[in-house]
Amino acid sequence: MTGTAPRIEVHLLQVGQCRHPEWVTLRGGRWSAAEFPALSALLIHPTRGALLYDTGYATHFDAATARFPERLYRWITPVQLAPAQTLQHQLAARGIALGDVSRVLISHLHADHVAGLRDLPNARFSALRAEIAGLAGLSRLRGLTQAILPALLPADFAAAAAGGFRRPAGLCRRCTGHRARTVVGAVRPRLRPAR
């Protein structure tokens, strides 16, 4: 008996971009500024509904970087977010409201990955336990040195993240310019039909 796996739609969304020196993310990169798109993946599951892998930027970034020392983050990585690139606009174009998103898998806590979390009122969050634990007692200055803006996270983030998950083998690796604790996902095609 052959079963059919549920069809999951996957949409790659660019939710803003920033500019900063290329060498920050590319070993041997130039000192001049380069554009870095903030990406989010929308997965539409037939029974679980809309899920996201990261959120990209949101207008919350402006408020979170309005004061010093967080303003340094804005100066070093100026962000552009066109109205048509907002998560709300792109989801609405697919018939999905922000409140319809049930879960967000978070690769790590940099602004270009989490700035839209506050816009998702019904979402639960999945992040690595080490990332969640690293927030405890994190000062604004220490957060800034790690490129983390705690003001971007919902007040109930730790509870909504349900304790996090351990590092799954094969999904995490060190990425130049990113956190040592980063979830890197890949879609592997099924080579044979399900039985």
Side-chain angles (χ1 to χ4, degrees):
M1 183 172 181
T2 304
T4 304
R7 181 171 170 81
I8 299 173
E9 291 181 44
V10 179
H11 303 273
L12 188 61
L13 312 175
Q14 180 177 340
V15 190
Q17 64 187 18
C18 70
R19 293 184 56 81
H20 58 90
E22 185 182 70
W23 66 266
V24 171
T25 58
L26 182 63
R27 187 172 287 131
R30 301 173 309 203
W31 281 85
S32 60
E35 290 184 3
F36 294 89
L39 301 176
S40 174
L42 167 64
L43 291 84
I44 304 173
H45 190 277
T47 59
R48 296 183 185 231
L51 307 120
L52 289 171
Y53 179 80
D54 290 338
T55 67
Y57 283 112
T59 57
H60 303 290
F61 180 82
D62 295 334
T65 58
R67 298 185 329 165
F68 188 82
E70 291 87 351
R71 183 173 282 276
L72 293 171
Y73 198 131
R74 185 192 306 195
W75 289 340
I76 294 169
T77 60
V79 169
Q80 294 176 328
L81 179 62
Q85 286 186 330
T86 64
L87 192 57
Q88 180 177 11
H89 180 86
Q90 294 187 69
L91 292 178
R94 291 166 175 82
I96 300 167
L98 292 170
D100 295 339
V101 175
S102 61
R103 179 157 308 268
V104 181
L105 174 63
I106 302 164
S107 62
H108 59 283
L109 301 177
H110 286 172
D112 55 325
H113 300 264
V114 301
L117 293 179
R118 288 180 172 269
D119 293 328
L120 305 167
N122 300 318
R124 293 190 46 98
F125 310 119
S126 296
L128 292 171
R129 285 182 192 153
E131 288 281 298
I132 297 167
L135 293 171
L138 186 68
S139 69
R140 291 172 48 211
L141 186 58
R142 181 75 175 152
L144 184 62
T145 65
Q146 296 177 26
I148 296 175
L149 298 169
L152 292 177
L153 302 175
D156 64 344
F157 177 75
F165 56 91
R166 289 182 296 126
R167 177 183 169 181
L171 285 182
C172 303
R173 65 180 188 90
R174 173 78 170 130
C175 298
T176 303
H178 279 81
R179 310 234 334 132
R181 300 177 299 257
T182 297
V183 176
V184 178
V187 177
R188 197 167 117 189
R190 177 173 267 163
L191 300 176
R192 13 176 194 200
R195 295 182 190 175

